[in-house]
Amino acid sequence: MSRPSSLRSEPAGPGGRPTGQVAPLTQYVLKLASRCDLACDHCYVYEHPDQSWRRQPRVMAPATVTAVAERIAEHAAAHRLGVVRVVLHGGEPLLAGTARLDSTAATLRRVIGPVARLDLRMQTNGVLLTPATCDVLVAHDVKVGISLDGDRAANDRHRRHANGSSSHRQVLRALSLLRSPAYRSSYAGILCTVDLANDPIRVYEALLAEEPPHVDFLLPHANWDNPPARPDGLATPYADWLLAVHRRWLADGRPVPIRLLESLLSTASGHGSRSEAVGLGPADLVVVETDGTFEQVDSLKSAFDGAAATGLDVFRHRVDDAAAHPAIAVRQTGLDGLCATCRACPVVGHCGGGLYAHRYRAGDGFDNPSVYCPDLLELVRVVTAAPVADAPARPTDSLHPRVLDDLATGAGTAGSAAQLAAVHLALVRALLVALSERAAGDPVAADGWRLLVHLDDAHPDAVRAVLAHPFVRRWARRCRDGTAELSYLACVAAAAAVRARVRADLPVPVRDGVVSLPTLGALAAGAERGVVRLVVDDGDVRLAGRRIAVLPGHDGDPAREDGPDGWLPVRAVRLGGNRLLLEDTDPHRDGYNLPVEPRLSGAAALGWTRRLEGAVRRIDAEATSYTAGVRTLLRAVVPLRAEPTGRFRSAAAGAAFGAVAVTAVPDDATLAVLLVHEVQHLKLSAVLDVCDLFDRDDTRTLRVPWRDDPRPVEGVLHGVYAHLAVADVWRHRPGPAAGGHFRRYRDWTDGALDALLDLGVLTAAGERFVGGMRATVDRWP
C-alpha cells in the first residue's frame, strides 16, 4: 500500500456522489481545539512526526461547526442512518471555553437531531472541567471520557503541564465532579495508556477507585520505524502487563467493563468488537480538524508527516467523498484490507491486525502486521482461552451470564451472592489504594496505611473481614470525595490489628467522643474530638491508661449495659459461620436519609438480636431459596428511629453494600419480610455496578401501583426485584391473609415486568434479566 498522503478520492458522479459504492460513516471526531494545556510526552498529536496542528486555527469557528453538522446530517439522511456518534476532541476541547462548547453542542443537536439520533461525546484530560462546564454537558447530553494513566506516580510519568507540574489532582477533581449525582449521567469512562514502568495492578486499582462506567487501555503509539520499548529478555511485555490486569479483573468478578478485554471475549463468542484496536469490524470514522478539513483517524499522525491527510474539507466536499477516499474505504473491508501475513493468521478474527497506525513501515506503508503482533497473539491466546460460554452476553456486561440468569430467578444461589460480595471487596480495596497517596502525607492516616499494608500480607483474613464491613466502603467513598476524614483509615487498620492479634501502636482519631473500630465496636475516649494513642496487643487495646479486652467476647452480651471501661462492643447474631452485626456505633452508618438510633440499651439490644434470630430462622423455614442471599450478603443491620406514625421503614444503599436499615418491628415475621426485601435491593445494586441492564440515556418513566409518582427505569427494576421476593415469601406462608399479600405483590410485579419489557429501554442483558423474572412469576399459581 502506498503512502496515504499520495492518494486522492475517487472521481465524483452526478450530483457530486462518488461513482463507486460508498459505505457510510457513522463516527466523527471534531477537533474543537487544536492546542492543549498539558504537554504529555506520549501524545500522538504534538510529540510525533505529523506537526500539522501548528497550521490549524486554535478553535473551530461556529461557521465550521455548522458546516460539519450539515454534512453529517446530509450523509445520515442519504444513507438512512439511525444513529451517528460525534466526539468532541482536540488538542484539549475544553480550551474552547464553556460558551463555545455550549453553542457547538446546540448546533450539532439542532442540525443532526431531526435526521438521526446523535450520540454526542467528548474526550478530555479533565484539567479545566468545572461545574459550569458540567451543566452544559448534562444539558446537551454529552458523555465525557477522561484520560488518566493511574495513580499520581503513573499519571505524572507522562501527563504533565509544560512546566513539569502534575495534573493528577486536577484530573481527580474532574472525576469527582462526574461522579456526583448531578453530573453522573455524563460520565462515560476512563482512557488509560499502558506504560510498562507502571505497576499494572496499582494502575487498575487506581482506575477502579474512580468508579468509571468503562475503562479503555491503549497501547502506546508505535510502528515498525519507531518500535515500542521492550525490556531485554521479554518477548511480550505489553501482553504480560495487560494479562496481569486481566487476571485481577477476573478474580474481582469483572467489576468494571474493560473495553479491550471484553472486545476479545466478544469476538471469542462470535460477536463483534467494540474497540478499533482489535477485531475485523469496519473503522467507519473520519476526523474533522479545526479548519474543517477531513482527515483519517488521527492516530496516524504517529506514522509520518501528512499521514492522516485526505485533501478534502467540509466546505467543498461531502462525507461521501471522505468515505470514498481509498485510505478510509480500505479500513471498511475487514479481512480483505489486511496484509497477507495477517490474512493467514489463525487469530486474525480476534486481533483484526491490531490498530491501523501500528502497522506502518516506510517503504510499504500500512501493509504489515501490527508492531505489537507478538503481544496481541499472546493476549488473544490467553483471554480467549476460556470456553465461549464464559464470554459476556454483550460487551458492556461484566457479570457472567450464568450468574445473571441465576439472580434473575429472584433468589439466586450462594455462589452468585459470593461473586457480588467479591466485587464489593475489590471496589473497597481499589478505593483504599486510591487514598494511599493522600494518606502518605497525613500524620494519622500514614501509620494506618503502613499497618494495613503489612497486615494484608501477614494476616489477609483479618484485613478482609474489616474491609468487607459495609460502612468501610461508604467511608472510603466519602473520603475520596472530600466529605469524610482520611484519618479514619487508622481506625480501619487498628480493627484489623485487633482481629489479627498482633501488636500495634498508632494514633487514631476521636469523633463524637469515641474511637470507632469497624466490625468490633467503639471506645469512649474522654474527649469529643482530636487524636489519641491506641495500643493493640493480642486482641486487647489500651487507651488513656485503660486496658480493654476487645477481641475475646467481642460479640458482647446484648443485655449487658455499657460498663465503666468505656468499651461499646458491637452486638451480633450468629448465622452459621458468619456474624450479623447489630450496628449502632459505626460513625458512617447514617447514609439512608432516615434517622438512625443512637447506642441501644442492653434491653433494647437484646430485643433486636432475638427478633433478628427469629427472622433468619423464618427465612430458613419459609423462604428457603432466599436463605443463601441473606446469609451470604447481609453483614449488618442498622436500627432506625421509629416514625411518629408507627409506620415500619427499611432501607438499603449500594454504597453500604451488605447492610440494611430497619425500624423496630413487633415480631420476627414482619422483620423477615423486610430483610428479604432489602437484600434484594443490595443484590440488584451490585448487579447494576457491573452490568448495564437498561439504557441510562433514556429518561422515560413508568407508572407503578406501589408509588404515586412516576418512576425511572432503575427505580422500577428495584421495585420489581424486591416485590418479586416479597411475593415469594408470602406465597410460602400459610393462611388466607398470606394469600392476599401474595396476590397483591404478584400482581404488582406482573404488571411492572410487562411494562419494562414493552418500554424498549432494556439492554440485551436487561431483557435477559427481566425475562428471567418474568419466567419465575409465570411459574407461580
Side-chain angles (χ1 to χ4, degrees), residues 131 134-135 137-139 176-186:
C134 288
D135 288 337
L137 298 173
V138 171
S176 179
L177 272 174
L178 290 174
R179 282 194 309 270
S180 66
Y183 306 129
R184 179 80 191 190
S185 63
S186 282

Side-chain angles (χ1 to χ4, degrees), residues 446-731:
D447 284 356
W449 175 248
R450 284 191 291 268
L451 175 60
L452 198 63
V453 170
H454 164 70
L455 293 173
D456 199 29
D457 287 334
H459 303 277
D461 289 345
V463 173
R464 189 180 303 112
V466 176
L467 299 192
H469 189 52
F471 304 111
V472 170
R473 177 175 173 180
R474 183 168 186 267
W475 159 76
R477 287 185 63 175
R478 294 180 65 224
C479 189
R480 178 200 59 192
D481 295 336
T483 58
E485 296 173 345
L486 181 63
S487 59
Y488 186 73
L489 181 60
C491 295
V492 174
V498 170
R499 286 183 164 278
R501 293 182 178 273
V502 301
R503 180 173 177 78
D505 184 344
L506 72 167
V508 291
V510 179
R511 174 179 173 175
D512 298 329
V514 299
V515 173
S516 178
L517 299 178
T519 73
L520 299 175
L523 293 153
E528 279 299 300
R529 298 190 71 82
V531 176
V532 295
R533 202 83 195 176
L534 185 74
V535 178
V536 179
D537 190 6
D538 193 27
D540 295 351
V541 300
R542 285 204 307 273
L543 179 67
R546 292 169 289 144
R547 185 178 184 91
I548 304 165
V550 171
L551 195 60
H554 66 279
D555 286 355
D557 177 2
R560 183 176 73 86
E561 297 293 342
D562 299 328
D565 59 2
W567 173 228
L568 314 176
V570 69
R571 284 76 168 237
V573 176
R574 281 286 177 186
L575 301 180
N578 296 326
R579 299 164 63 240
L580 174 57
L581 306 183
L582 181 64
E583 189 56 86
D584 60 358
T585 63
D586 195 286
H588 300 284
R589 71 188 189 280
D590 57 348
Y592 299 98
N593 296 319
L594 295 167
V596 299
E597 286 277 19
R599 177 68 171 175
L600 298 173
S601 68
L606 181 61
W608 269 95
T609 56
R610 286 176 174 172
R611 282 193 295 273
L612 286 169
E613 289 170 347
V616 174
R617 284 196 298 269
R618 273 191 174 270
I619 295 169
D620 289 344
E622 298 175 348
T624 308
S625 57
Y626 292 89
T627 295
V630 171
R631 286 182 174 271
T632 303
L633 297 181
L634 192 57
R635 288 287 175 266
V637 171
V638 177
L640 295 174
R641 287 184 180 175
E643 291 204 349
T645 61
R647 178 187 176 190
F648 304 140
R649 297 293 297 272
S650 62
F657 180 79
V660 302
V662 193
T663 54
V665 296
D667 55 74
D668 54 26
T670 302
L671 184 55
V673 174
L674 293 177
L675 292 181
V676 170
H677 179 277
E678 296 305 336
V679 169
Q680 291 296 99
H681 286 306
L682 292 177
K683 288 193 289 188
L684 186 58
S685 292
V687 169
L688 291 172
D689 275 344
V690 296
C691 188
D692 291 335
L693 298 183
F694 60 94
D695 180 0
R696 295 185 180 274
D697 297 338
D698 197 311
T699 59
R700 286 178 290 173
T701 57
L702 287 172
R703 289 281 181 183
V704 291
W706 61 85
R707 290 284 293 257
D708 294 331
D709 54 327
R711 303 295 294 153
V713 171
E714 184 170 357
V716 178
L717 275 170
H718 267 283
V720 166
Y721 198 56
H723 290 147
L724 181 149
V726 172
D728 213 1
V729 172
W730 286 113
R731 186 167 72 95

Side-chain angles (χ1 to χ4, degrees), residues 714-780:
E714 184 170 357
V716 178
L717 275 170
H718 267 283
V720 166
Y721 198 56
H723 290 147
L724 181 149
V726 172
D728 213 1
V729 172
W730 286 113
R731 186 167 72 95
H732 289 90
R733 283 190 176 176
H741 289 308
F742 162 65
R743 286 188 291 275
R744 178 176 61 167
Y745 283 101
R746 179 200 60 193
D747 292 346
W748 284 0
T749 306
D750 186 70
L753 285 171
D754 287 343
L756 281 170
L757 290 167
D758 291 342
L759 189 61
V761 70
L762 300 177
T763 63
E767 295 272 359
R768 184 174 186 152
F769 188 76
V770 175
M773 288 193 282
R774 172 80 273 168
T776 296
V777 174
D778 289 345
R779 287 193 294 268
W780 292 344

